[in-house]
Coordinates of all heavy atoms in Angstrom, one line a residue:
E82 N 37.7 -106.7 -0.3 CA 38.7 -107.1 -1.3 C 40.1 -107.1 -0.7 O 40.9 -108.0 -0.9 CB 38.6 -106.1 -2.4 CG 39.5 -106.4 -3.6 CD 39.5 -105.3 -4.7 OE1 38.8 -104.3 -4.6 OE2 40.2 -105.5 -5.7
I83 N 40.5 -106.0 0.1 CA 41.9 -105.9 0.5 C 42.2 -106.6 1.8 O 43.4 -107.0 2.0 CB 42.3 -104.4 0.6 CG1 41.6 -103.6 1.7 CG2 42.2 -103.7 -0.8 CD1 42.2 -102.2 1.9
L84 N 41.3 -106.7 2.7 CA 41.6 -107.2 4.1 C 42.3 -108.6 4.1 O 43.2 -108.7 4.9 CB 40.4 -107.2 5.0 CG 39.9 -105.8 5.5 CD1 38.7 -105.9 6.4 CD2 41.0 -105.0 6.2
P85 N 41.9 -109.5 3.3 CA 42.5 -110.8 3.3 C 44.0 -110.7 2.9 O 44.8 -111.7 3.2 CB 41.8 -111.7 2.3 CG 40.5 -111.0 2.1 CD 40.7 -109.5 2.3
H86 N 44.4 -109.6 2.3 CA 45.8 -109.5 1.8 C 46.7 -108.6 2.6 O 47.9 -108.4 2.1 CB 45.7 -109.1 0.3 CG 44.9 -109.9 -0.5 ND1 45.3 -111.1 -1.1 CD2 43.5 -109.9 -0.8 CE1 44.3 -111.7 -1.8 NE2 43.2 -110.9 -1.6
I87 N 46.3 -108.1 3.7 CA 47.1 -107.2 4.4 C 47.1 -107.5 5.9 O 46.2 -108.1 6.4 CB 46.7 -105.7 4.3 CG1 45.2 -105.5 4.7 CG2 46.9 -105.2 2.9 CD1 44.7 -104.0 4.7
S88 N 48.3 -107.2 6.6 CA 48.3 -107.4 8.0 C 49.1 -106.2 8.6 O 50.0 -105.7 8.1 CB 48.9 -108.7 8.4 OG 50.3 -108.7 7.9
N89 N 48.6 -105.8 9.8 CA 49.2 -104.7 10.6 C 49.6 -103.5 9.8 O 50.8 -103.0 9.8 CB 50.4 -105.3 11.3 CG 50.9 -104.5 12.4 OD1 50.1 -103.7 13.0 ND2 52.2 -104.6 12.8
K90 N 48.7 -102.9 9.1 CA 48.9 -101.7 8.3 C 48.4 -100.4 9.0 O 47.6 -100.5 9.9 CB 48.2 -101.8 6.9 CG 48.7 -102.9 6.0 CD 50.1 -102.7 5.5 CE 50.5 -103.8 4.6 NZ 52.0 -103.8 4.4
T91 N 48.9 -99.3 8.5 CA 48.2 -98.0 8.8 C 47.2 -97.7 7.8 O 47.6 -97.5 6.6 CB 49.3 -96.9 8.9 OG1 50.2 -97.2 10.0 CG2 48.6 -95.6 9.2
I92 N 45.9 -97.7 8.1 CA 44.9 -97.3 7.2 C 44.4 -95.9 7.5 O 44.0 -95.6 8.7 CB 43.7 -98.3 7.3 CG1 44.2 -99.7 6.9 CG2 42.6 -97.9 6.3 CD1 43.2 -100.8 7.0
V93 N 44.5 -95.0 6.5 CA 44.2 -93.6 6.7 C 42.9 -93.4 5.9 O 42.9 -93.5 4.7 CB 45.3 -92.7 6.3 CG1 44.9 -91.2 6.5 CG2 46.6 -93.0 7.0
S94 N 41.8 -93.0 6.6 CA 40.5 -92.8 5.9 C 40.1 -91.4 5.9 O 40.1 -90.7 6.9 CB 39.4 -93.6 6.7 OG 38.2 -93.2 6.2
A95 N 39.8 -90.9 4.6 CA 39.3 -89.6 4.4 C 37.8 -89.7 4.2 O 37.2 -88.7 3.8 CB 40.0 -88.9 3.3
V96 N 37.2 -90.9 4.4 CA 35.8 -91.1 4.1 C 34.9 -90.3 5.0 O 34.9 -90.5 6.3 CB 35.4 -92.6 4.1 CG1 34.0 -92.8 3.8 CG2 36.3 -93.4 3.2
T97 N 34.1 -89.4 4.5 CA 33.2 -88.6 5.3 C 32.3 -89.4 6.1 O 31.6 -90.3 5.6 CB 32.5 -87.6 4.4 OG1 33.4 -86.8 3.7 CG2 31.6 -86.7 5.2
G98 N 32.2 -89.1 7.4 CA 31.2 -89.8 8.3 C 31.6 -91.2 8.8 O 30.9 -91.7 9.6
L99 N 32.7 -91.7 8.4 CA 33.1 -93.0 8.8 C 34.0 -92.9 10.1 O 35.1 -92.4 10.0 CB 33.9 -93.8 7.7 CG 34.4 -95.2 8.0 CD1 33.3 -96.1 8.4 CD2 35.2 -95.7 6.9
S100 N 33.5 -93.3 11.2 CA 34.2 -93.1 12.5 C 35.4 -94.0 12.6 O 35.4 -95.1 12.0 CB 33.2 -93.2 13.7 OG 32.9 -94.6 13.8
V101 N 36.3 -93.6 13.5 CA 37.5 -94.4 13.8 C 37.0 -95.8 14.4 O 37.4 -96.9 14.0 CB 38.4 -93.7 14.8 CG1 39.5 -94.7 15.3 CG2 39.0 -92.5 14.2
D102 N 36.0 -95.7 15.3 CA 35.5 -96.9 15.9 C 34.9 -97.9 14.9 O 35.2 -99.0 15.0 CB 34.4 -96.4 16.9 CG 34.0 -97.5 17.9 OD1 34.9 -98.3 18.2 OD2 32.8 -97.6 18.2

Side-chain angles (χ1 to χ4, degrees):
E82 187 184 358
I83 67 171
L84 287 181
H86 303 274
I87 56 174
S88 61
N89 198 21
K90 297 290 182 195
T91 296
I92 300 180
V93 180
S94 166
V96 178
T97 302
L99 179 60
S100 68
V101 169
D102 192 34

